[in-house]
Amino acid sequence: MIDYRVDDDGIAIVTWNNPDSPVNTLTDASLAAYETAMDRALADTAVRGIVVTSAKRDFIAGADVHNFLAARSVQELEARSRRASALIRRLETAGKPLVAAINGTALGGGLEITLGCHHRIAADNPKTRLGLPEVTLGVLPGAGGTQRLPRLIGIRAAVPLMAEGKRLPVADALKAGIVHAVVPADQLIDQARAWILAGGEALQPWDRKGFRLPGGDLTHPGLQEFMSVVIAKVHERTAGNYPAPLNILSCVYEGTGSPIDAGLDIESRYFGVTAATVQAENLIRSGFLALNDARKLKARPKDVPKAEFRKVGVLGAGLMGSGIAHACASAGLETVLLDREQALAERGKAHAEKLLGREVERGRLDADGRAAVLARITPTADYATLAGCELVIEAVFEQREIKAEATRRTAEATGPDVLFGSNTSTLPITGLAEHWPRPDNFIGLHFFSPVHRMALVEVIRGRQTSDACLAQALDFVARIGKTPVVVNDSRGFFTSRVFTTYFEEGMALLAEGVAPALIENAGRQTGMPLGPLAVADEVALDLLHKVITQTRADLGSAYTAPASAPVIELFVEKLGRVGKKAGKGFYDYADGQRRLWPGLAEQFPVAATQPDVAAVKQRLLHIQALEAMRCLDQGVVGSTTDADVASLLGWGFPPWTGGVLSYVDTVGLDRFVAECESLAAHAGDRFAPPDSLSKLAGSGRSLRDAR
Ligand code: T1G
C-alpha cells in the first residue's frame, strides 16, 4: 500500500502504491499505512526529511468515493473528514520537512495530501491534472483543502477552483502558486531531495507569526464584493439544487478569518453535512460510478471476442452523418461518408473539417492532426466504396423507404456479414432489420446531436440482434470514445420516448394558460439545460408533427395523441412557426438571441391564476420519471441505473437527481406516488402512477432496491 525506504542522505521516500487498484485512493487502510510510514520516518532520528510520492501513473485520485456511499450519517462522514484532516495537520507540524513529489494526477484528497507538505514539485507530465473536484461529486474538500488553498494562493484564486472543481495542468498549477516547481519527470525525486538537503524549512506559511492571506482576508471590501458576486453566480448556476458550492463558500467565509485549526474544524462540520445530502449520494453513485461502468462496457456480453475496427461506412452526410464520420475518423478509423450525390458527401466532409478547425483553434489538435483525420474521410456516392468495412452506420432521412433502399444497396456492396447500425431516433429497429440479409447483425446506434459534444450512444437491440452483434457494437462505441447504454426495441426507444414528455408537458402547460416565461424558468430551475418550449424549438415542431402523423398512421385507433398535439398542429399547419431552424417557433430568433414570441399570449391567453413554480417544476420532472418507469416495466430499459445514465448523458436530466429514475427515490417513492395521483386528478391520466410503483408505496423500499 505504502512503500518506505531511507536513502544514504537520511531522506525517507514514502511511496503510495495501492496493489489492488489502478489508482491510489484515500481509504481507511491507505491512510493508516501512510500514517505508519510517516510516523516511522518522524521517529527515526537519522531521517532529516520526507519525500511523498507515488509509484503509479497518477499520484493520488482522492478519497475513495465508495466510502461516502457506505457511511451516510452526518456524524460518520464528519468523522471521516476529521481523521484525514487531523493526520495531515499533525504531519505538517511534526517538525520535519515534507516534500510532495507529484509524478501524476493529484485530485481531491490527493492534492490535499500535497498541500499538507511544506513544498510541492510536479513532474512536467502533460497528462497530469491537479485540482479539488469534490464539488462535482456533491461534496467538498474535507481534508483541509478549503482552508489551505486560500491561505496558499489567496481567496480570489482559490474559490473558483473549488466552487467549479477545476482540474489544472501542471503549468497552470505552477502559475497559480499551487506547486513551487515543475521539473522533468526523471529529476523529480532528486529535486525533492535537494530541497530538503538545501535546508527546506518544516513550517507552513499559515503557521508563521504574523501570517496574512495573500490578497487579504474577508475584511477586505474588495473580497467581500468578490464573494457576493461568486455567491450570486452559484445561485444562478445551481438554482438551489446543489448545496456543495455554497457550503464551500461558507467554509472559506467562516474558516479563513480564524486560525487554521479552527478553520479545519469548520470544514469538517460542513463536510459531514454536505456529504450526507442526497445530491452527494446521487452524483457519486450515478454521476461518477455508474457513468464509469457504462464507459467501461460493464454490460457487454462476456464470451464474445473483442472486435477490432479499421474501416467503417456512414450512410447520409447530413448533420448527424458528418458528425458520426468526424467521431470515427478522429478515433483513427478509415471512414467512408456516402450520400446520394458526390457534392452532398463532400459537403458532409466539409462539416467535419469545420469541427476539426474548431479543435485546432482550441489547441486540442494541431494542423497535422487535422490533416490526418480529414485524410481518413472518403466522401463518395458509390456504394462499392463500402467494401471492406467492418461496420456501416445508416444516418439517412427518417423515412422507412429511404432507409430500406440504403440498407439493401449496402448489403450488395459489403455482403451480409458486416455489422449494420441504424442511427434512427424513433423507428423500431426490428422493422428496419428486415431489409438486411442477416437481422442478427443489425442494431440501433442512436447518436445525439451535436455528435461531437454528446457522449451517449443509445444501443438498441432488435428482436433478432445477436449477443455477438451487441458486444461488437459496444466495442465500436467505446472505440470512438463514446458511452453506450443498451435498450430494447420500442417506438422512440428509451431516450426519445422519455425526453419527448418534457417538452410535451411544456406545451400542455402553455395550452392550459400557464405563462410561457413561468414554464421556461421553471424548466431551467429544475436543472434541465433548457426550458421545454426552447427544446421543442430545437427539436423542430415540424419533425414532432411528422412523428405524430407517422405514429397515428402506424397505430390507427390504438394511438392516443399527446396533450401537445393541438399545439404542434396549430404551429405547423396554421402559423408556420416550426422552430429555431426557421427562426421562429415558440421563440423568435434574431441576432443570436432567443425571445419568447409575443404572439403566444394571443394564441394561448394567460390564465388569471398561475401555478407556483414548484408545481410547474414537479410536472416537468414527474412526467419524465413516469414515462421512464413505464419503459422499465415494459423492458425497454433493463435497470434503473441504465435509465439514469441514459437520461444524464442523453438529454441532461438534472444530475442532482441521480437520473430520471433515481429522481423517484430523491423525491421519495411514497411522496412521488402521492404527488402523481394528485396530478392525475387535475392535470390528466398521463400522471397516473403505474401499478409497479403504487404497489411499492408504503413498502419502505426504494425503487432502486426493488428493481
Ligand atoms: N474513488 C474510488 N474509485 C476511483 C476513484 C475515487 N476517487 N478514482 C478512480 N477510481 C477508480 C475508477 O472507478 C476506476 O475503477 C479506476 O479507479 C480507474 O479510474 C477528502 C472527499 C483519477 C482522473 O473526483 O477523475 O477526495 O472501473 O477509469 O480514466 O477532500 O479516475 O477500474 O473499477 O477513471 O485514468 C475526488 C475521480 C474524490 C477523482 C483517472 N477525486 N477520479 O482517470 O481511470 S472526493 C475525484 C478520476 C475527495 C477529499 C474528497 C479518474 C482519474 P474501475 P478511471 P482514468
Side-chain angles (χ1 to χ4, degrees), residues 260-278:
I260 180 90
D261 292 306
L264 294 172
D265 174 62
I266 288 166
E267 176 188 90
S268 288
R269 267 192 286 113
Y270 273 109
F271 180 83
V273 168
T274 310
T277 60
V278 70

Side-chain angles (χ1 to χ4, degrees), residues 48 60 149 158 213 263 310 424 442 459 534 577 645-646 652 661 671-672:
R48 312 164 52 168
I60 301 174
L149 195 62
L213 270 87
R310 191 186 47 78
T424 178
F442 193 105
V459 179
R577 296 182 67 92
V645 171
L661 282 182
R671 183 177 147 203
F672 180 82

